[in-house]
Structures are given as structure tokens and as C-alpha cells.
Amino acid sequence: MIPAAFEYVRVSTVDEAVAALAEHGEDAKILAGGHSLLPIMKLRLAVPSVLIDISGVQELSYVRVDGDEVAIGAGTRHHELEKSEVAQAEVPLLPHVASRVGDPQVRHKGTLGGTVAHCDPASDLPTALLALGATVVVQGPSGRRSIPITEFFLGFFETAMEEGELIVELRVPRTGAGGWGYEKFTRRENDWPIVAAAAVHLPDGSVGVALANMGGVVLKASAVEAALAEGRSIEDAAELAAEGTSPSSDMHADAEYRSHLARLLTKRALKVASGETGASTAESTAA
């Protein structure tokens, strides 16, 4: 449970971080909150020779309105997102989901950019960002570029970032008073979701729906979204939640049960988003 030896580099600006990544190459890893990286380093599943600490880069910590979008710095901690008045007013799904991540220690250290870069298929905030149709802004030696989040998650712990790039910002539409719902089923309050579903009414009139832990990455519930766009009922649309997914079977749930949870939690999230019902007790009640 002891990580291999590594060199520690602390930077204070994004440009310094990009330069450090260019200098040390593929053997370097970015350290922000550390709640995803450090455990796998202790298990020797990741053995970087250099850690580049960006936790002190102040320019990466903000939540602000920018036109029709809310811009969120990649270094914004979950607790900061949870308590942000801007986020609560303009995109309330995100602070709610941030409040459900892990425990207070995790929320005070973990960052939004870190959880997106980690690309865990059971992660709460990436699921909400996918439902919102977020944009991921990365920066590298060639400057900045924007990647639609639908193109960002490529596979298990694999993203569209190229060598030498890091996430600097997440951008989401301002949903304001539009309805939203987030439902997840866990064994304990601060566990990773066995399955989770996010639903949100978007400014263009559509409904975004995404699922956690139903495949190698967080997934759009595309069949559900299409059914809702056709005017089908929430009940009918939610029955399609497991289409196009590839849930795994493990000690917590088999694939069939995960598919059942996807349908059930999607229906609950959609009903909450539509104002038909309040938040459910999906976390503590067997579905």
C-alpha cells in the first residue's frame, strides 16, 4: 500500500502546469485533489515518476456566468460547487449532485476537473455533466480546445485528452428554474452508485438523461431522450433506459438488476424533473 517513488512538482499557474507536462512527458500525472489518483498509486496500478500538483492554481477555481453558459474552473472543489450561489441559481443540478459525492473530506478536496479526467463510469458529477451536455475545455502545448462531453469519455479510464493536456474548465448551459432530478442507488450513503440516473430540462426544450455504472463510461440514455422528444410518457420512455448499455455483473449487482435499476431510477429522476414527485429514497430502499 506504499506508492513507488516519484518526483513532486508544485505549480502556481496553468502555463507552469503545461510546461511541466511537456518537460516530463507521459511519465507525469496531474495531482489536484488526489482522491482518485493516490489510491491507485498505493496499489501500484499507476506508477508515475512525476506528480505535478495544481492544487494551488487559483485561476482554476471559479464558478461564473458567461453568456448563456456557466463556466466552472477545473480546480473548483466539490464543496465549493455545492455552496456556489451562482451554480444554485443557474444550474442547480450540479450543486445538488456535488453534495452527494462521498463524504465531507472528499468534497473538500476533490475537484470537478479531477473527477472528469479520472473517467470513472460510476462517478456522480460526470453523469450530471453528460445529461447537461457540458463542454470540456482542455489546455496543452498548442493552446486551448473545447471537447463536447459526448466525445470526451472514450473508455474505461480513457478520455479524449492528448498527451500534455489538462482540463482547465467545464461549461454547461444555464438551466435556471428548469426541472432536474438525480437518483442513485447505493449500499451506503457515501458509496459509489451501483446505478445512477440524471435528468434535466435543457434551455432548447429537450430533456437530457444520463446514467452511471451502466457501461465502461457514463452513458447518455439516448433511447429515453428520443422517446421523450417524440412525446411519449415518462413511464414509456424510462422503460428504454437500458437500451444501448453494457452493465457489468459484480458482487454488488448483476447486469439484469442494474438494467432494472436504470429503468426505475430514470423514471424517478424524470418524474422529479417534471415536478410530478419529490426526491425519492432510492439510496436506502432496495428497488
Side-chain angles (χ1 to χ4, degrees):
M1 297 296 288
I2 299 175
F6 58 87
E7 180 184 351
Y8 175 79
V9 177
R10 186 174 178 86
V11 299
S12 57
T13 68
V14 173
D15 288 342
E16 288 179 4
V18 171
L21 283 170
E23 176 183 352
H24 297 288
E26 63 181 11
D27 292 329
K29 289 286 187 182
I30 292 290
L31 174 67
H35 282 281
S36 298
L37 177 60
L38 296 182
I40 63 174
M41 287 179 61
K42 289 180 178 180
L43 295 171
R44 303 287 179 106
L45 297 176
V47 192
S49 61
V50 180
L51 285 187
I52 302 170
D53 186 350
I54 64 169
S55 62
V57 179
Q58 295 300 312
E59 64 186 286
L60 289 179
S61 182
Y62 57 84
V63 182
R64 59 188 178 225
V65 171
D66 186 1
D68 293 332
E69 296 179 310
V70 176
I72 307 168
T76 303
R77 303 194 185 281
H78 305 326
H79 174 75
E80 294 169 338
L81 181 58
E82 174 189 353
K83 299 302 182 182
S84 167
E85 293 182 0
V86 172
Q88 291 170 4
E90 300 293 346
V91 58
L93 171 62
L94 285 184
H96 171 76
V97 174
S99 74
R100 310 287 288 283
V101 175
D103 53 32
Q105 293 93 327
V106 170
R107 294 195 290 273
H108 278 78
K109 290 294 289 182
T111 65
L112 184 60
T115 192
V116 173
H118 188 53
C119 192
D120 192 309
S123 194
D124 295 284
L125 282 163
T127 306
L129 289 165
L130 186 60
L132 284 162
T135 299
V136 184
V137 183
V138 301
Q139 183 170 331
S142 300
R144 292 194 175 194
R145 65 188 181 104
S146 298
I147 308 170
I149 199 165
T150 52
E151 301 172 10
F152 186 79
F153 302 121
L154 301 183
F156 193 62
F157 297 148
E158 180 185 4
T159 73
M161 281 193 295
E162 298 177 354
E163 184 176 334
E165 291 183 328
L166 73 156
I167 300 174
V168 293
E169 186 178 77
L170 286 303
R171 303 182 69 87
V172 294
R174 297 169 62 184
T175 58
W180 55 271
Y182 185 70
E183 299 290 322
K184 68 175 181 176
F185 185 77
T186 62
R187 294 178 63 232
R188 298 172 300 180
E189 172 66 23
N190 62 349
D191 280 347
W192 296 98
I194 294 173
V195 175
V200 59
H201 288 258
L202 299 170
D204 64 4
S206 65
V207 180
V209 186
L211 300 167
N213 229 352
M214 287 296 290
V217 296
V218 292
L219 297 171
K220 289 279 276 183
S222 300
V224 176
E225 293 178 340
L228 292 171
E230 294 169 358
R232 297 174 65 177
S233 69
I234 287 175
E235 289 76 9
D236 287 348
E239 283 299 309
L240 306 175
E243 288 195 7
T245 67
S246 54
S248 62
S249 295
D250 56 28
M251 62 183 292
H252 302 299
D254 61 20
E256 182 180 358
Y257 186 54
R258 279 197 164 92
S259 295
H260 161 71
L261 286 174
R263 292 187 289 268
L264 176 67
L265 298 180
T266 296
K267 180 172 70 174
R268 289 179 177 176
L270 288 170
K271 283 183 174 291
V272 172
S274 68
E276 290 187 24
T277 183
S280 76
T281 56
E283 291 175 325
S284 58
T285 304

